[in-house]
Amino acid sequence: MSDASHRTSYDAALDAVRSYTYGDAVAVREALAGLDARAWTEVYAVLSGLLRSTISIMELTGRHWNLDDLVRLSDEVSAAAPPHYEFAMAEATRAWARGDLSMMRAPSGRDVQGAVHMTAIGIAVLGLALWGRSGLLDVLEEFRATADALVHDHPTDA
């Protein structure tokens, strides 16, 4: 990422999820524009943490989803992705619904950009299924506030 933009990996990650939540392909593209290889990896790390947090919250609260809703939401949300990732997400979601987790994990090692898109879509889909749009947007703002507080309260001196 360019120093001039002052956007962090958290900004790019959360903006991508928010953009997918609204199904806004232009905003998705803008959220991830200008990332270099390192930044793509950092965005993926942020999204992976947010995905784990989302799943943990779901497990702790006992909230569940209907598989049909997840597949439908995945189709809707992934329509904002670049076409090759839209198709990959549709296939991965259907495989996951059948109990095959391999397609959800496959892109992270081979295609970081694909892993970023698929993880952002996954977070949006789970969040929409669990909390609806306004609830998911609230969670994203809390995550941003927490990340900002951690960065400002514990600057790296190394």
Side-chain angles (χ1 to χ4, degrees):
M1 288 190 311
S2 139
D3 289 339
S5 70
H6 291 71
R7 290 186 66 234
T8 67
S9 297
Y10 287 98
D11 293 327
L14 296 174
D15 289 348
V17 174
R18 185 177 300 100
S19 299
Y20 274 120
T21 299
Y22 283 109
D24 187 338
V26 172
V28 169
R29 203 169 37 255
E30 289 172 356
L32 301 172
L35 299 179
D36 60 21
R38 179 178 173 198
W40 278 103
T41 301
E42 289 173 358
V43 168
Y44 178 60
V46 170
L47 290 171
S48 294
L50 183 54
L51 179 61
R52 283 189 304 276
S53 296
T54 302
I55 291 169
S56 293
I57 292 167
M58 181 217 43
E59 290 172 344
L60 288 170
T61 61
R63 299 288 305 258
H64 296 282
W65 59 76
N66 176 315
L67 282 177
D68 292 340
D69 290 340
L70 284 183
V71 171
R72 178 185 52 77
L73 284 167
S74 179
D75 288 346
E76 290 173 11
V77 170
S78 63
H84 52 291
Y85 295 132
E86 176 185 3
F87 178 75
M89 191 64 192
E91 292 299 305
T93 301
R94 282 161 178 73
W96 178 80
R98 292 187 308 269
D100 177 3
L101 304 179
S102 64
M103 289 183 74
M104 287 292 197
R105 293 185 182 121
S108 61
R110 295 188 315 262
D111 178 8
V112 173
Q113 291 181 20
V116 163
H117 284 283
M118 290 180 75
T119 306
I121 291 166
I123 293 164
V125 167
L126 283 175
L128 288 168
L130 295 169
W131 305 302
R133 181 177 290 155
S134 64
L136 173 57
L137 294 173
D138 289 345
V139 168
L140 293 175
E141 285 310 309
E142 286 297 321
F143 190 80
R144 181 184 303 276
T146 301
D148 287 347
L150 289 172
V151 168
H152 289 54
D153 290 345
H154 303 289
T156 55
D157 295 0

